Amino acid sequence: MKRFLNAIMLISVLALASCSTEPKSDIDRKVDELLSKMTLHEKVGQMNQLSGGAWLVDQAAKGEVGSILNCVDPAEINAVQKAAVEESRLGIPILVSRDVIHGFRTIFPIPLGQAATFDPAIVEKGARIAAVEATASGVRWTFSPMLDIARDPRWGRVAEGSGEDPYLDALMGVAMVKGYQGDDLSDPTSLAACIKHFVGYGAAEGGRDYNTTMISERSLRNTYFPAFKATAEAGAATLMTSFNEIDGIPSTGNKWLLKDILRDEWGWDGMVVTDWNSAGEMIAHGFSRDLKHTAEQAINAGVDMDMMSYGFIQYVEELVKEGKVSEKEIDRAVRNILKLKFELGLFENPYVDETASAKIDYAPEHLEAAKQCAIESAVLIKNDGVLPLSGAKTILVTGPLADAPYEQMGTWAFDGQKEHTVTPLAALRQEYDVIWEPGLDYSRDKDMSDFAKVRRAASRADAAVVFVGEEAILSGEAHSLSNLNLQGAQSELIAEVAKAGKPVVAVVIAGRPLTIERDLANCDAMLYSFHPGTMGGPALADLIKGKAVPSGKLPMTFLRDAGQAPFYYNHNNSGRPCNGTETLLNDIPIAAGQTSLGCTSYYLDTGYGPLLPFGYGLSYTTFEYGKPSVEKAELGRDDVLKVSFELKNTGKYEGTEVAQLYVQDKVGSVVRPVRELKRFERVTLAPGESRTVTFELPVSELAFWNIDMEYVVEPGDFRLWVAGDSASGTPVDFIVK
Ligand code: BGC
């Protein structure tokens, strides 16, 4: 620990030294000049972010608001901007923000679905399109990407992130930041990104939103920080603090996180905003006495802008007079805010062209990209030879998610208009003679009175496709669930359709991994589509018909039962890992003696494994992995590990496989995960084609925060697997000297 602190001090000294010698950029000079003219009241105004539009004109004119959120009407935005630019004393423009989470008008799959593509390029493209559409309406700042590692599907916000793996999370986060911001923040289509929620919010105990988290410093560093660090290094313009507390300290008042780590250790120079009233909520946490105290704690911890607590605007001037917050802290915060406004070119171009969005929203190429992303995001979970339904003529379409244009957009799709959504029902009608029987009106519907009708319809069809899942409102913020089975009578609907004896395809459209084991038993095939967005219908119709082939892989472990949560593939081993001999409930004799039933780590009812592992996903074709070979089995710490293997398409369709490289550090100074994803690649092969794939992994990427809290590669024995999911593959050993 001591060595680590010394390292931090050294870094801080170097950072200070470089600040004093580096020539100031034009923007820094402009910021200094403007700052020197500002009163304390005007500075505090910049630190205040409020929700709303036209009714904030007066505050804007008085320079009492630095940023607004939740207004997307270009005329209203221009009105507020005009007040700020033309009526306030210094004419500082407003920064307009919005939660553009997976598309603005053209809605892409929810971020968890985007992660299932394992395709950073399509994710970057989606973020770019979101930026083009949002900026056309006057929005220049989005609160995305959400980087919270989520290992408990009961937490409703798993929908908003990239799932359970730090490496995938970092790659997807960087792709989004690049897509939103483009090459240069000053481009009018550049949307400043906000990496959130710093940090550990996804580890809410019990999956209950806003709940306490218990994360050690080492876990923070090894698991929760990496995506933030990677996106900070990729140039993310802003960062949002999280609602949760860690080890008793709410993030919004956590100086260690916001100053020591973010600024001193990582050297990041962007702008920090609170989450919605997360400063104010430090009172409910019992960390602050009152609103004034929250402002003092948040600013001194390193927050620059206050979202919706009203604490800064009311109390900061008093706090400065009382000496509880220094003007230096205020200048630091305002400097970060003004710098971003200059970088975005807001001083030169504060207004939005009020006619622009009508020409840009839902452009054909946006819809095409959204469809491609939805195709890649769907995960084929089961297929007993029925998909694709290429031979069928007449199909039954049923289920509450078949024609639910609003629901298929998923959570945080404020600006997507359901009139533009194409549902699976509409798209399948282009491909088949469709018999349409909804069966249930919405996902929580328990009324089974139409089921007999649905079954009769199924017997008249060549096959049945049942669209089940979750309404948009069942996942997302504050939408945690303790039971993850399909809601309402949806499982019963699948079972009823199965009674007709025709091939049954279940399509699950949901915001999280649901526990679908009992439903798998009643269908011949299952496609899992995390809320797929505007073009979900055509994407799913192409997959069902066989015009497209599934390639998505699970970004989270799928559970047998919610009671298994949290469950993730890259866990540490216990001292008693399962040895393959599970004694399950039905194996236990009545009046059994007090034996320990094998003494390994598993549940008596659900066993050791999950339903489906991270990284899992089938295709219409099959792939065979050859045994991987390493170029060198002994490597130095500066070497690059090279692993090659043959991948062969052994089926009848052209398809894309996401080949994955996992590594285990077999013995560490602290216990290491059983496997960690280190590389992946989407490989497209024609039937019968094979290719040699090579993964290159610098040994330096095997570093972790060790017993001395140093980030190092520890020499020793390692093991790797190359496979189509996190539970397969033939192990190959190598050594780092
Ligand atoms: C959420 C954030 C979001 C903010 C602004 C909060 O409730 O936690 O993720 O960006 O609201 O809408």
Side-chain angles (χ1 to χ4, degrees):
M1 185 59 146
K2 205 163 134 225
R3 221 171 322 157
F4 168 65
L5 288 175
N6 287 343
I8 290 183
M9 278 168 62
L10 181 67
I11 292 168
S12 316
V13 171
L14 290 176
L16 279 177
S18 69
C19 279
S20 56
T21 51
E22 251 176 40
K24 286 209 161 177
S25 72
D26 268 5
I27 286 187
D28 286 336
R29 264 196 301 276
K30 284 182 193 161
V31 169
D32 284 346
E33 198 188 317
L34 184 51
L35 200 61
S36 70
K37 295 183 193 149
M38 292 172 81
T39 63
L40 181 57
H41 189 69
E42 284 164 336
K43 289 179 187 175
V44 179
Q46 287 302 306
M47 296 166 73
N48 188 30
Q49 185 187 47
L50 298 176
S51 178
W55 64 90
L56 295 172
V57 158
D58 286 350
Q59 268 120 313
K62 285 191 256 166
E64 291 177 351
V65 54
S67 171
I68 61 170
L69 73 155
N70 293 336
C71 176
V72 295
D73 174 0
E76 272 193 58
I77 288 175
N78 278 344
V80 184
Q81 202 60 285
K82 187 161 185 283
V85 172
E86 295 173 33
E87 292 173 44
S88 77
R89 191 178 76 92
L90 293 170
I92 303 174
I94 299 276
L95 177 51
V96 179
S97 62
R98 178 66 155 175
D99 288 278
V100 180
I101 305 298
H102 50 114
F104 181 67
R105 297 283 185 218
T106 306
I107 299 299
F108 280 67
I110 54 170
L112 191 60
Q114 296 193 32
T117 66
F118 280 67
D119 185 355
I122 192 92
V123 171
E124 182 176 336
K125 193 169 184 182
R128 185 86 289 270
I129 287 168
V132 166
E133 290 188 349
T135 54
S137 281
V139 176
R140 294 300 304 278
W141 180 21
T142 177
F143 304 123
S144 173
M146 184 185 100
L147 303 173
D148 298 309
I149 295 288
R151 294 168 159 185
D152 189 333
R154 292 173 297 179
W155 190 51
R157 301 197 81 168
V158 298
E160 294 174 57
S162 294
E164 72 191 35
D165 181 70
Y167 176 69
L168 182 62
D169 192 23
L171 287 192
M172 292 306 176
V174 168
M176 285 193 191
V177 168
K178 282 194 196 156
Y180 289 137
Q181 297 189 174
D183 295 332
D184 188 345
L185 281 174
S186 69
D187 186 299
T189 70
S190 178
L191 188 63
C194 183
I195 49 180
K196 73 184 187 186
H197 308 85
F198 197 56
V199 66
Y201 181 33
E205 281 187 354
R208 208 154 62 243
D209 208 356
Y210 314 118
N211 207 7
T212 295
T213 62
M214 287 294 169
I215 314 175
S216 69
E217 179 179 340
R218 200 179 336 274
S219 301
L220 283 172
R221 290 181 175 280
N222 283 328
T223 303
Y224 293 87
F225 283 173
F228 284 93
K229 186 157 185 284
T231 45
E233 282 167 6
T238 74
L239 171 144
M240 186 186 288
T241 64
S242 60
F243 287 127
N244 58 292
E245 49 108 339
I246 298 178
D247 198 19
I249 308 174
S251 302
T252 304
N254 192 328
K255 177 181 162 299
W256 178 71
L257 285 177
L258 302 180
K259 286 188 173 166
D260 302 356
I261 297 292
L262 198 57
R263 305 295 189 188
D264 297 344
E265 203 176 313
W266 298 354
W268 182 74
D269 66 353
M271 190 257 274
V272 174
V273 65
T274 70
D275 200 346
W276 181 288
N277 191 34
S278 66
E281 288 176 11
M282 294 199 291
I283 303 169
H285 273 296
F287 186 73
S288 314
R289 287 183 301 276
D290 50 28
L291 196 57
K292 183 171 169 184
H293 193 204
T294 68
E296 175 188 338
Q297 289 175 306
I299 295 170
N300 286 336
V303 166
D304 298 326
M305 185 181 276
D306 172 36
M307 183 194 288
M308 290 303 290
S309 88
Y310 301 97
F312 289 19
I313 194 77
Q314 288 182 66
Y315 296 110
V316 167
E317 286 162 88
E318 258 175 68
L319 287 166
V320 171
K321 273 194 208 107
E322 291 164 10
K324 293 190 171 135
V325 172
S326 69
E327 278 225 56
K328 207 168 138 226
E329 294 282 7
I330 302 298
D331 285 354
R332 171 219 80 214
V334 178
R335 203 171 253 123
N336 290 336
I337 295 164
L338 294 179
K339 183 167 136 285
L340 179 58
K341 292 186 175 185
F342 277 112
E343 284 170 345
L344 286 167
L346 289 177
F347 286 87
E348 293 85 32
N349 295 307
Y351 299 112
V352 56
D353 170 359
E354 291 176 26
T355 64
S357 62
K359 293 172 234 151
I360 285 168
D361 295 344
Y362 303 109
E365 63 273 21
H366 299 183
L367 297 175
E368 196 42 50
K371 179 180 168 188
Q372 183 58 28
C373 189
I375 286 175
E376 291 184 23
S377 74
V379 184
L380 183 64
I381 280 182
K382 173 180 180 180
N383 191 13
D384 283 348
V386 298
L387 277 177
L389 293 177
S390 37
K393 236 175 100 19
T394 304
I395 63 168
L396 166 71
V397 174
T398 183
L401 270 297
D403 195 30
Y406 171 73
E407 311 303 348
Q408 78 180 49
M409 288 194 287
T411 187
W412 292 108
F414 293 130
D415 304 302
Q417 295 147 330
K418 67 175 184 183
E419 297 70 27
H420 287 265
T421 299
V422 188
T423 67
L425 176 66
L428 286 168
R429 281 188 163 138
Q430 309 294 314
E431 306 288 346
Y432 299 96
D433 293 335
V434 167
I435 309 173
W436 166 229
E437 280 296 345
L440 295 167
D441 288 340
Y442 58 106
S443 70
R444 289 162 294 152
D445 191 355
K446 293 186 177 134
D447 178 358
M448 300 197 277
S449 53
D450 281 344
F451 278 21
K453 210 160 46 163
V454 177
R455 174 149 49 121
R456 283 197 300 276
S459 11
R460 300 202 311 273
D462 301 325
V465 191
V466 194
F467 289 88
V468 291
E470 289 183 306
E471 297 150 76
I473 193 67
L474 299 187
S475 61
E477 185 176 351
H479 299 137
S480 296
L481 284 170
S482 62
N483 180 332
L484 298 177
N485 292 337
L486 285 170
Q487 296 287 330
Q490 296 185 96
S491 289
E492 288 78 358
L493 177 63
I494 301 174
E496 186 72 24
V497 172
K499 288 183 194 154
K502 298 294 174 71
V504 178
V505 176
V507 181
V508 184
I509 295 182
R512 54 155 70 76
L514 293 169
T515 44
I516 34 88
E517 189 169 21
R518 63 183 176 157
D519 309 303
L520 281 174
N522 292 323
C523 63
D524 302 291
M526 183 181 282
L527 261 176
Y528 209 96
S529 171
F530 297 101
H531 288 127
T534 303
M535 294 298 282
L540 289 166
D542 276 12
L543 289 165
I544 289 166
K545 182 82 180 178
K547 291 181 175 173
V549 174
S551 61
K553 296 279 188 174
L554 297 179
M556 282 184 80
T557 301
F558 268 48
L559 310 183
R560 300 206 129 95
D561 188 276
Q564 291 179 303
F567 202 161
Y568 46 96
Y569 84 94
N570 42 0
H571 59 90
N572 290 351
N573 243 339
S574 71
R576 293 189 178 186
C578 185
N579 56 15
T581 52
E582 302 162 332
T583 305
L584 298 178
L585 279 181
N586 292 340
D587 308 327
I588 305 173
I590 296 167
Q594 296 289 310
T595 69
S596 48
L597 300 173
C599 293
T600 66
S601 177
Y602 71 95
Y603 293 103
L604 291 178
D605 49 357
T606 50
Y608 174 70
L611 179 66
L612 298 166
F614 172 89
Y616 176 88
L618 302 169
S619 169
Y620 294 156
T621 193
T622 45
F623 296 99
E624 205 176 272
Y625 283 78
K627 190 170 179 335
S629 65
V630 288
E631 189 193 56
K632 273 182 10 189
E634 281 196 15
L635 299 118
R637 280 183 258 185
D638 297 328
D639 284 343
V640 175
L641 171 75
K642 287 194 187 140
V643 197
S644 300
F645 60 98
E646 272 311 281
L647 185 65
K648 183 167 188 196
N649 180 343
T650 48
K652 294 197 197 86
Y653 294 82
E654 175 175 306
T656 301
E657 168 71 339
V658 180
Q660 301 154 44
L661 170 69
Y662 294 91
V663 176
Q664 181 194 23
D665 185 349
K666 288 171 76 177
V667 180
S669 60
V670 292
V671 176
R672 307 286 295 125
V674 296
R675 280 190 187 207
E676 291 177 290
L677 181 67
K678 290 291 179 186
R679 287 286 183 274
F680 58 81
E681 191 177 326
R682 291 174 58 85
V683 185
T684 302
L685 296 173
E689 187 185 350
S690 58
R691 187 177 312 159
T692 305
V693 181
T694 302
F695 286 125
E696 297 197 4
L697 179 71
V699 169
S700 57
E701 289 190 39
L702 299 173
F704 68 102
W705 292 87
N706 75 353
I707 187 94
D708 299 319
M709 210 59 98
E710 287 173 331
Y711 188 66
V712 292
V713 180
E714 290 186 344
D717 293 339
F718 289 77
R719 174 163 281 190
L720 67 83
W721 297 258
V722 169
D725 64 63
S726 61
S728 312
T730 316
V732 173
D733 291 341
F734 65 99
I735 293 170
V736 174
K737 288 180 291 187

